[in-house]
């Protein structure tokens, strides 16, 4: 395995595979209690925790002395296993690696499985950030998404998290769900802003193959999301959050300032290293990417047998790494340094600016902080096209 640079940001991601129910739009590696019944001890929360501890111990042996800059517990529904087990996860990270001074420690949470006591437990354990899945404030939209929480619960949970002393709180939105109206979205944004959070993530609904939502769309029960509607909704989101003092720092993420941005996700977007522990989790160290087996029972059994739970891997060559830098950095408000493009790519950037997709002034190398490709709002709506143009441009 390649040896990582100790100066590169290092994060730990921990995947909790448990959910109380399966949302119709979700294709993540998650399992309900009924789906795991009879599969073995590794499929209980405590069995999963034992397996994660084993993996983290093995990870530390590979990585060596390298304090963790960020921890992110995702899922699934991490809040379903309770603050005590989440604290045990963080204790294992501390024991095996240590936390860097000022480390960011995040957990995702479902509003319905949280409480003031839950958030107080997170603070005592050392968590500094919570990301709550809100999706919408409209009951009929939540119903289409098969979300169980009531419309007001996410806002109440955000207030509870802040009152408990969680320093940074995010609310997740999903927009352009079939049946959602502009007024529904505006009501959701009003609810978000009433919660006093310092971070918002907003994602256009994607109908993933194999999900219950995809089957409903295929049967004609629901209309497929419309790209033009999604673009208009994105503009509503950006206008509303910008007017409230939030600024985009990544195409789908807004924050009140640099301190509120998710440092763990920035590590993904800026060439960081991370170890992903848990069933189906992905990792990256020094150009090597690998992923774990998906089923919790097999994951736990392999670790109990002293085996690494790796399902596969890929080595990223210089060309692949350069391509990913363009794809990921262009999504950031800080933009893509033009030095990462060849002459053809820089020429394509000039053409994109002429089309209103990139900020013209930012391309000027002589300007302060210049020499960067930064998306305009129209460019954000067409980010995939801009990336393709920059990567596939040929000399004029």
């Amino acid at each position: 395995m390649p040896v990582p640079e100790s100066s590169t940001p290092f994060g730990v991601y921990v995947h909790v595979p448990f959910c109380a129910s399966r949302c119709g739009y979700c294709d993540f590696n998650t399992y309900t209690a009924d789906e795991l019944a009879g599969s073995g001890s590794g499929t209980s929360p405590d069995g999963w925790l034992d397996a994660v501890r084993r993996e983290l111990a093995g990870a530390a042996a590979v990585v060596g002395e390298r304090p963790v800059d960020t921890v992110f517990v995702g899922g699934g529904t991490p809040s379903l296993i309770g603050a005590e087990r989440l604290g045990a996860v963080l204790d294992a990270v501390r024991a095996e690696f240590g936390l860097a001074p000022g480390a960011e420690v995040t957990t995702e949470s479902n509003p319905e499985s949280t409480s003031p006591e839950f958030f107080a437990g997170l603070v005592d354990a050392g968590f500094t950030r919570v990301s709550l899945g809100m999706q919408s404030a409209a009951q009929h939209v939540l119903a289409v998404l098969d979300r169980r929480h009531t419309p007001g619960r996410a806002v109440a949970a955000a207030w509870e998290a802040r009152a408990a002393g969680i320093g940074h709180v995010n609310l997740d939105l999903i927009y352009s769900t079939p049946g959602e109206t502009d007024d529904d979205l505006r009501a959701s944004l009003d609810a978000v802003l009433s919660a006093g959070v310092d971070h918002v993530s907003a994602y256009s609904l994607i109908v993933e193959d194999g999900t219950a939502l995809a089957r409903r769309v295929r049967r004609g029960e629901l209309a497929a999301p419309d790209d033009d509607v999604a673009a208009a909704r994105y503009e509503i989101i950006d206008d509303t959050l910008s007017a409230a003092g939030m600024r985009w720092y990544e195409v789908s993420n807004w924050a009140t300032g640099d301190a509120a941005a998710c440092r763990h996700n920035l590590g993904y977007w800026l060439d960081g290293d991370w170890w992903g522990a848990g069933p189906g989790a992905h990792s990256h160290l020094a150009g090597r990417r690998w992923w774990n087996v998906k089923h919790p029972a097999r994951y736990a059994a392999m670790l109990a047998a002293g085996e690494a739970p790796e399902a596969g891997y890929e080595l990223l060559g210089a060309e692949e790494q350069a391509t990913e830098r363009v794809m990921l950095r262009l999504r950031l408000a800080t933009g893509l340094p033009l030095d990462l493009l060849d002459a053809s790519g820089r020429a394509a950037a000039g053409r994109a600016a002429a089309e209103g997709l990139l900020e013209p002034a930012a391309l000027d190398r002589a300007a302060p902080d210049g020499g960067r490709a930064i998306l305009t709002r129209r460019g954000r709506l067409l980010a995939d096209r801009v990336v393709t143009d920059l990567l596939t441009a040929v000399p004029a």
Side-chain angles (χ1 to χ4, degrees):
M1 181 174 290
V3 177
E5 297 266 352
S6 60
S7 59
T8 303
F10 179 53
V12 169
Y13 172 80
V14 180
H15 186 73
V16 179
F18 308 114
C19 279
S21 63
R22 184 173 297 282
C23 298
Y25 63 92
C26 179
D27 72 337
F28 294 163
N29 188 44
T30 63
Y31 305 84
T32 64
D34 287 345
E35 290 169 337
L36 293 174
S39 298
S41 61
T43 60
S44 70
D46 288 330
W48 165 87
L49 179 57
D50 286 342
V52 166
R53 285 178 172 135
R54 288 191 180 97
E55 185 179 2
L56 290 174
V62 172
V63 173
E65 293 187 14
R66 193 175 183 189
V68 174
D69 298 293
T70 63
V71 179
F72 196 106
V73 185
T77 309
S79 50
L80 201 60
I81 67 173
E84 184 176 348
R85 289 192 186 93
L86 290 172
V89 169
L90 186 54
D91 285 343
V93 174
R94 284 196 190 96
E96 301 298 344
F97 295 99
L99 294 178
E104 175 193 87
V105 184
T106 303
T107 184
E108 294 180 337
S109 297
N110 185 320
E112 285 299 310
S113 53
T114 62
S115 65
E117 294 75 21
F118 169 79
F119 292 120
L122 292 185
V123 172
D124 289 343
F127 282 82
T128 66
R129 189 174 182 276
V130 168
S131 180
L132 293 160
M134 175 178 172
Q135 280 67 56
S136 176
Q139 181 61 59
H140 69 98
V141 174
L142 294 174
V144 170
L145 296 172
D146 292 323
R147 296 290 294 188
R148 289 188 169 186
H149 65 266
T150 54
R153 178 56 203 154
V155 171
W159 278 109
E160 290 168 3
R162 295 177 64 229
I166 298 289
H168 300 290
V169 180
N170 170 66
L171 284 173
D172 271 350
L173 289 176
I174 292 177
Y175 61 95
S176 71
T177 299
E180 180 192 55
T181 66
D182 287 354
D183 286 343
D184 290 331
L185 178 60
R186 290 190 177 96
S188 296
L189 290 165
D190 288 344
V192 165
L193 295 176
S194 76
V197 297
D198 61 357
H199 192 287
V200 177
S201 300
Y203 304 100
S204 179
L205 179 66
I206 297 175
V207 179
E208 300 285 2
D209 290 342
T211 62
L213 180 64
R215 291 190 289 274
R216 295 184 68 188
V217 170
R218 189 167 57 249
R219 291 194 298 263
E221 297 174 16
L222 295 171
D226 182 275
D227 289 343
D228 291 335
V229 170
R233 299 266 162 84
Y234 182 91
E235 292 179 333
I236 291 172
I237 293 167
D238 191 51
D239 284 341
T240 304
L241 296 180
S242 296
M246 288 191 169
R247 294 292 179 267
W248 77 283
Y249 71 95
E250 191 274 340
V251 168
S252 298
N253 290 275
W254 291 257
T256 56
D258 291 345
C262 180
R263 287 162 47 198
H264 186 83
N265 286 342
L266 284 168
Y268 295 150
W269 298 321
L270 292 170
D271 298 332
D273 286 328
W274 68 93
W275 192 288
H282 286 232
S283 303
H284 172 266
L285 286 177
R288 185 180 190 268
R289 181 181 293 135
W290 70 96
W291 46 95
N292 287 345
V293 295
K294 286 189 171 184
H295 199 279
R298 187 177 176 214
Y299 167 78
M302 291 179 72
L303 285 159
E307 301 175 42
E310 187 176 306
Y313 74 95
E314 59 182 343
L315 295 176
L316 303 177
E319 184 174 345
E320 290 87 356
Q321 292 185 56
T323 295
E324 291 202 354
R325 287 190 186 103
V326 172
M327 292 173 60
L328 296 174
R329 293 193 183 197
L330 191 67
R331 294 182 62 86
L332 298 173
T334 50
L336 168 72
L338 294 180
D339 290 342
L340 296 180
L341 297 172
D342 60 19
S344 299
R346 291 192 291 274
R351 293 192 293 272
E355 292 182 58
L357 302 176
L358 294 177
E359 299 285 357
L363 295 177
D364 183 0
R365 293 175 181 272
D369 298 322
R372 309 181 79 83
I374 297 176
L375 294 167
T376 61
R377 186 161 77 175
R378 180 167 175 261
R380 281 182 263 161
L381 295 171
L382 299 170
D384 289 344
R385 182 197 138 184
V386 177
V387 167
T388 299
D389 288 348
L390 297 184
L391 290 172
T392 62
V394 296

